[in-house]
């Protein structure tokens, strides 16, 4: 019973050690033994977008399982995989066929073993039949029998889609789901109506007499009002207000109210996350918190709300004033930003430009027929920080491509290492696709195109491709900030609604 011995008892030191588990765990167990899993695992029979058991399962080419009734509205609106953010079309979905036993449990159609969250599951792309991987490996792969074990249809190794791999738990980690990180709303119109209907969220049969509160109030007949009496009362009220305003030292209120649109963020009804604040659960289990009886949705910050892809669709514009050698002449280069598909990169570029971060910085690298790179205050190509003082993720969700001259993109040191450096291409560079975030392009007008041509003609050193003369950004002037325009329009729309 003892550890490494034949003792029939456990000593105190063994009972209190850090490697004790279950019933043997004593007071000496530290936090290293506690279950602090860094992820929440989604069960295999749950839809990855509704987080509920599926009824009509389909999967993406990568093996993410959805319910067809939930994924189709998302694809119609976004056209991307909500889990990974990669482009996804309805025609890419594979309809899954699960076999069930008499008890309604999902089983392997050949061995009839019950499928669990620890079963290695695969599906065949051409038929949609779901098997345990052990069955396919033993009867198909090793036997070189490339026919579906249920329908006898031929398939190849590339048709095998992994739905669940117990050796790769991160594939179903809720913490890595992109739409959950961004707080995207996945509710269908029908679910949204049901969510807003209080009578659908309360068990009225358990309320007793209180159920009458949820019943719609019957409209009472409006009493007959004498228009003459109403006009007389209105005149009386106006005379009283005039007398009060004239007797005070403050000027009378203006009849036209001016509403100042601030950048404090959109209303909370438009910036809700998919998770609650947690106050109701916390106050239920703790006497140190003020009791909360409603599960209010958490509110997104203004920045998180604005930086959601495809929310801000209006383009932005920045004017770069550049000094070129040898005479240090000034030339202008106008850039158009695309926040619809790269909101983080555009927001970062705009905020740095507003703060004067790019003023007096050099273009430290210039490769003719390829690109010119700048944005590093140190001028070495090894420095630079983002607006958030940390690297931010790549943004590849959109139609933007390196298919022409003048594409504006983020320079990086690898995956998800964007900071302040950027580059502008001199030609189409398809080999850079999905390696660098594209967030704009040079405006196709005479002055900007001429400046871009002069940049390419600047002489460079043979080693390092550094310009021989200083190519310096004198000023980065924001002409149009699409995020501020979006907030202003939101404020005006809310004012009209009120």
């Amino acid at each position: 019973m003892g550890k490494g011995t034949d003792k029939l008892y456990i000593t105190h030191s063994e009972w209190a050690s850090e490697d004790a588990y279950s019933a043997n765990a004593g007071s000496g167990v530290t936090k290293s033994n506690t279950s602090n899993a860094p992820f929440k695992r989604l069960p295999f029979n749950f839809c990855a977008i509704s987080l509920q058991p599926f009824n009509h399962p389909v999967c993406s080419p990568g093996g993410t399982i959805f319910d067809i009734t939930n994924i189709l509205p998302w694809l119609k609106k976004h056209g991307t995989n909500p889990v990974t953010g990669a482009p996804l079309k309805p025609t890419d979905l594979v309809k899954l066929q699960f076999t069930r036993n008499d008890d309604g449990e999902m089983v392997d159609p050949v061995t009839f073993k019950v499928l669990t969250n620890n079963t290695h599951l695969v599906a065949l792309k051409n038929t949609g039949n779901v098997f345990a991987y052990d069955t396919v490996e033993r009867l198909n792969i090793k036997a070189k029998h490339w026919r579906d074990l249920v329908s006898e249809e031929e398939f190849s190794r590339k048709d095998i889609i992994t739905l669940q791999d117990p050796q790769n738990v991160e594939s179903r980690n809720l913490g890595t789901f992109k739409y959950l990180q961004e707080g995207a709303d996945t509710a269908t119109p029908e679910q949204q109506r049901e969510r807003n209907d209080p009578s659908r969220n309360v068990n009225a049969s358990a309320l007793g007499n209180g159920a009458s509160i949820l019943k719609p109030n019957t409209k009472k007949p409006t009493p007959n009002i004498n228009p003459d009496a109403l006009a007389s009362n209105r005149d009386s009220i106006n005379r009283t207000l005039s007398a009060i305003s004239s007797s005070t030292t403050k000027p009378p209120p203006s009849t036209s109210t001016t509403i100042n649109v601030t950048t404090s963020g959109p209303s909370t009804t438009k910036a809700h996350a998919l998770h609650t604040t947690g106050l109701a659960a916390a106050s239920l289990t703790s006497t140190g918190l003020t009791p909360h009886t409603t599960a209010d949705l958490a509110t997104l910050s203004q920045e998180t709300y604005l930086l959601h892809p495809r929310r801000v669709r209006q383009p932005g514009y920045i004017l770069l004033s550049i000094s070129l050698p040898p005479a240090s002449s000034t030339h202008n280069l106008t850039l158009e930003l695309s926040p619809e598909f790269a909101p983080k990169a555009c927001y970062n570029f705009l905020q740095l430009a507003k703060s004067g971060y790019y003023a007096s910085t050099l273009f430290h690298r210039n490769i003719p027929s390829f690109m010119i790179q700048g944005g590093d205050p140190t001028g070495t190509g090894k420095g630079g920080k983002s607006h958030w003082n940390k690297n931010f993720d790549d943004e590849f969700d959109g139609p933007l491509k390196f298919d022409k001259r003048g594409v504006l993109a983020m320079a990086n040191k690898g995956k998800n290492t964007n900071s302040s450096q950027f580059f502008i291409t001199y030609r189409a560079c398809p080999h850079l696709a999905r390696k660098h975030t594209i967030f704009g392009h040079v405006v196709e007008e005479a002055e900007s195109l001429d400046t871009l041509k002069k940049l390419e003609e600047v002489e460079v050193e043979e080693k390092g491709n550094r310009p021989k003369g200083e190519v310096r950004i004198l000023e980065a002037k924001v002409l149009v900030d699409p995020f501020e325009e979006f907030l202003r329009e939101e404020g005006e729309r809310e004012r009209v609604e009120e």
Side-chain angles (χ1 to χ4, degrees):
M1 186 172 183
K3 298 180 181 179
T5 68
D6 56 355
K7 296 182 297 185
L8 299 181
Y9 60 91
I10 297 176
T11 64
H12 178 270
S13 60
E14 293 173 339
W15 178 80
S17 64
E18 291 188 358
D19 58 346
Y21 295 93
S22 187
N24 297 335
S27 59
V29 178
T30 61
K31 63 180 181 179
S32 61
N33 287 342
T34 58
S35 177
N36 289 326
F39 64 91
K40 294 182 180 180
R41 186 178 180 181
L42 181 70
F44 80 95
N45 61 334
F46 275 50
C47 170
I49 193 170
S50 66
L51 308 183
Q52 298 295 326
F54 52 67
N55 295 320
H56 310 285
V58 294
C59 76
S60 66
T64 306
I65 303 178
F66 304 100
D67 193 297
I68 189 67
T69 59
N70 296 318
I71 188 60
L72 285 182
W74 174 275
L75 293 180
K76 184 178 180 181
K77 183 177 181 181
H78 301 279
T80 60
N81 188 325
V83 174
T84 63
L88 183 64
K89 300 177 181 178
T91 55
D92 297 335
L93 299 176
V94 178
K95 183 179 180 181
L96 300 179
Q97 305 289 344
F98 282 91
T99 304
R100 296 180 181 268
N101 58 17
D102 294 337
D103 297 331
E105 299 172 314
M106 298 181 185
V107 297
D108 181 275
V110 178
T111 63
F112 295 101
K113 289 183 179 180
V114 177
L115 306 180
T116 67
N117 289 328
N118 296 318
T119 305
H120 192 166
L121 298 179
V122 295
L124 301 184
K125 184 177 181 180
N126 55 342
T127 64
N129 290 324
V130 180
F131 302 86
Y133 178 74
D134 293 338
T135 301
V136 176
E137 182 183 33
R138 186 172 71 253
L139 301 180
N140 291 117
I141 299 177
K142 290 185 177 180
K144 296 182 179 180
H145 177 69
W146 300 102
R147 287 184 177 272
D148 191 306
L149 299 174
V150 175
S151 63
E152 288 297 322
E153 293 185 28
E154 293 185 359
F155 69 97
S156 60
R157 185 184 291 270
K158 65 181 181 180
D159 293 328
I160 301 177
I161 302 175
T162 301
L163 303 179
Q164 177 179 257
D165 186 358
Q167 301 300 325
N168 182 20
V169 294
E170 286 295 327
S171 62
R172 301 187 68 80
N173 180 12
L174 292 175
T176 62
F177 286 13
K178 186 173 182 179
Y179 78 95
L180 292 178
Q181 295 174 348
E182 297 177 347
D185 188 6
T186 61
T188 63
E190 182 180 354
Q191 292 171 337
Q192 193 67 39
R193 289 192 297 270
E194 182 177 349
R195 179 186 297 174
N196 296 333
D197 185 2
S199 63
R200 300 291 295 274
N201 301 324
V202 179
N203 183 7
S205 61
L207 293 178
N209 294 333
S212 59
I213 299 175
L214 297 179
K215 295 181 180 179
N217 294 328
T218 58
K219 187 176 180 180
K220 298 181 180 180
T222 56
N224 294 327
I225 300 178
N226 188 347
D228 297 335
L230 182 61
S232 176
N233 290 335
R234 186 184 298 113
D235 294 339
S236 177
I237 293 173
N238 290 335
R239 286 194 299 270
T240 303
L241 292 176
S242 300
I244 294 175
S245 60
S246 60
S247 62
T248 59
T249 57
K250 296 181 179 180
S254 176
T255 56
S256 59
T257 306
T258 302
I259 298 179
N260 295 323
V261 180
T262 64
T263 58
S264 60
S267 63
T268 56
T269 57
K270 297 183 180 180
H272 279 161
L274 294 181
H275 55 84
T276 64
T277 58
L279 293 176
S283 62
L284 177 66
T285 57
S286 174
T287 58
L289 297 176
T290 303
H292 288 77
T293 58
T294 57
D296 299 325
L297 292 176
T299 303
L300 297 175
S301 66
Q302 182 196 83
E303 190 173 281
T304 304
Y305 177 77
L306 285 176
L307 299 187
H308 188 277
R310 291 182 170 84
R311 175 155 287 147
V312 179
R313 299 176 181 270
Q314 179 181 349
Y317 294 92
I318 286 185
L319 177 66
L320 298 183
S321 297
I322 303 173
S323 173
L324 293 176
S328 297
S329 56
T330 302
H331 300 268
N332 294 326
L333 185 70
T334 305
L335 304 175
E336 179 178 321
L337 309 184
S338 304
E340 181 177 2
F341 307 111
K344 292 181 182 177
C346 293
Y347 187 83
N348 173 70
F349 195 69
L350 286 164
Q351 298 306 314
L352 292 179
K354 287 182 177 180
S355 64
Y357 187 88
Y358 290 126
S360 298
T361 59
L362 296 174
F363 282 102
H364 60 272
R365 189 181 181 202
N366 187 21
I367 305 177
S369 299
F370 182 31
M371 63 88 194
I372 184 169
Q373 182 176 338
D376 177 12
T378 66
T380 62
K382 300 180 180 179
K385 293 183 179 180
S386 72
H387 166 67
W388 302 281
N389 290 322
K390 63 179 182 179
N391 295 336
F392 60 93
D393 293 347
D394 298 321
E395 297 172 293
F396 300 142
D397 181 17
L400 303 179
K401 298 179 181 180
F402 288 96
D403 56 355
K404 61 181 179 180
R405 177 182 174 91
V407 173
L408 175 66
M410 294 299 300
N412 58 44
K413 296 177 290 186
K415 182 179 179 181
N416 298 329
T417 57
N418 302 291
S419 55
S420 66
Q421 294 190 38
F422 62 92
F423 65 93
I424 303 173
T425 63
Y426 292 137
R427 63 174 177 85
C429 304
H431 63 283
L432 299 180
R434 302 191 69 82
K435 294 180 181 178
H436 296 271
T437 298
I438 302 173
F439 65 100
H441 64 272
V442 175
V443 175
E444 296 182 359
E445 50 93 17
E447 185 179 15
S448 296
L449 296 178
D450 182 66
T451 301
L452 187 61
K453 181 180 178 181
K454 285 182 169 60
L455 288 172
E456 187 176 10
E457 295 173 350
V458 172
E459 295 184 1
V460 298
E461 300 174 355
E462 294 182 0
K463 185 178 180 180
N465 296 304
R466 189 178 184 88
K468 290 184 177 180
E470 289 188 349
V471 181
R472 187 179 298 275
I473 299 177
L474 302 177
E475 182 185 12
K477 183 178 181 181
V478 178
L479 302 179
V480 177
D481 187 337
F483 299 98
E484 288 187 356
E485 293 295 322
F486 176 82
L487 290 176
R488 183 182 60 79
E489 292 175 0
E490 285 285 293
E492 292 179 353
R493 189 179 299 110
E494 291 177 4
R495 181 184 65 180
V496 171
E497 292 176 356
E498 292 175 357

